[in-house]
Amino acid sequence: QSALTQPRSVSGSPGQSVTISCTGTSSDVGAYDYVSWFQQHPGKAPKLMIYDVTKRPSGVPDRFSGSKSGNTASLTVSGLQAEDEADYYCCSYAGSYKVFGGGTKLTVL
Amino acid sequence: QVQLQESGPGLVKPSETLSLICTVSGGSVSSGSYFWSWVRQPAGKGLEWIGRVYTSSTTNYNPSLKSRVAMSVDTSKNQFSLKLSSVTAADTAVYYCTRSDNVWGQGTLVTVSS
């Protein structure tokens, strides 16, 4: 199985919105509504930000939203804040196992 | 509040078996419809899903690791475990345990070296 494809980096200024894409195949992202997004700050464990494509765990700001179209899922961060600067990983169910994307570094300019 | 803590040897020799335990506190490993997963991250690289185990002992593994991985749950100790056999330097990574992807341990570095 191959990792999901994410851009290596994205950037935006405070207050702006950025979108991170996550492209898979018809066997993973396109087949199931089980895409998650994780935020990871340096030296820290990942944190679940979005699950089941669009759902937010308790405590995650509504500035974070998820969507999916075909084989591509997306994470949008609105109203960028300095603390949003981190690595972001998508993850999809692929029918008995899960696969991560390669990760995207979000830089807040 | 549920907390997870990984434990195990930080150094494993090539060809040997890596064994890690994740201890659950503030909750029960046998309660609810949770799954218990392991994820690893080599230094400076991305996350890799290793597998998951349910309290029922049902398991799902990464196909690329399936021949070397075994996971189990010990309800008497409130723990779940990971065993990875025939390790090589490529298995050197920080290993995380998680509860349904929403609660994570702090991670433990395992180095494979003679």
Side-chain angles (χ1 to χ4, degrees):
Chain A
Q1 80 291 6
S2 300
L4 308 176
T5 300
Q6 297 182 233
R8 293 290 291 270
S9 64
V10 298
S11 63
S13 299
Q16 289 186 332
S17 295
V18 295
T19 296
I20 300 171
S21 62
C22 170
T23 301
T25 69
S26 57
S27 295
D28 39 59
V29 175
Y32 307 97
D33 287 334
Y34 295 131
V35 177
S36 303
W37 289 90
F38 297 87
Q39 176 192 67
Q40 186 180 35
H41 288 108
K44 300 294 186 181
K47 176 185 177 182
L48 181 65
M49 305 301 284
I50 296 288
Y51 68 100
D52 293 353
V53 180
T54 61
K55 298 176 182 177
R56 276 188 311 276
S58 174
V60 173
D62 60 6
R63 301 185 295 104
F64 292 84
S65 62
S67 63
K68 191 186 86 167
S69 178
N71 296 336
T72 298
S74 298
L75 172 72
T76 297
V77 185
S78 305
L80 271 177
Q81 298 181 4
E83 59 262 35
D84 299 334
E85 184 162 298
D87 293 324
Y88 291 83
Y89 294 90
C90 62
C91 180
S92 175
Y93 182 67
S96 83
Y97 66 96
K98 292 187 175 184
V99 60
F100 279 99
T104 298
K105 180 173 180 57
L106 169 58
T107 300
V108 181
L109 301 171
Chain B
Q1 181 179 348
V2 175
Q3 293 185 315
L4 307 181
Q5 178 66 59
E6 304 90 350
S7 60
L11 180 64
V12 181
K13 290 182 168 54
S15 81
E16 295 190 344
T17 296
L18 177 161
S19 295
L20 294 176
I21 288 173
C22 184
T23 300
V24 180
S25 59
S28 173
V29 74
S30 57
S31 67
S33 57
Y34 301 115
F35 55 87
W36 308 89
S37 303
W38 291 91
V39 173
R40 69 181 183 179
Q41 185 172 36
K45 296 187 177 181
L47 302 171
E48 181 178 27
W49 190 81
I50 301 173
R52 64 184 175 186
V53 59
Y54 292 82
T55 305
S56 63
S57 295
T58 298
T59 54
N60 299 120
Y61 299 138
N62 185 324
S64 67
L65 299 171
K66 188 174 184 177
S67 63
R68 299 193 292 129
V69 173
M71 295 181 184
S72 61
V73 173
D74 187 336
T75 55
S76 67
K77 295 181 178 179
N78 217 29
Q79 298 173 336
F80 60 105
S81 67
L82 166 69
K83 292 186 185 298
L84 181 65
S85 63
S86 304
V87 297
T88 69
D91 295 310
T92 294
V94 173
Y95 285 75
Y96 295 100
C97 59
T98 95
R99 188 193 78 171
S100 295
D101 296 343
N102 198 13
V103 181
W104 290 66
Q106 65 185 22
T108 186
L109 174 62
V110 178
T111 301
V112 178
S113 175
S114 56

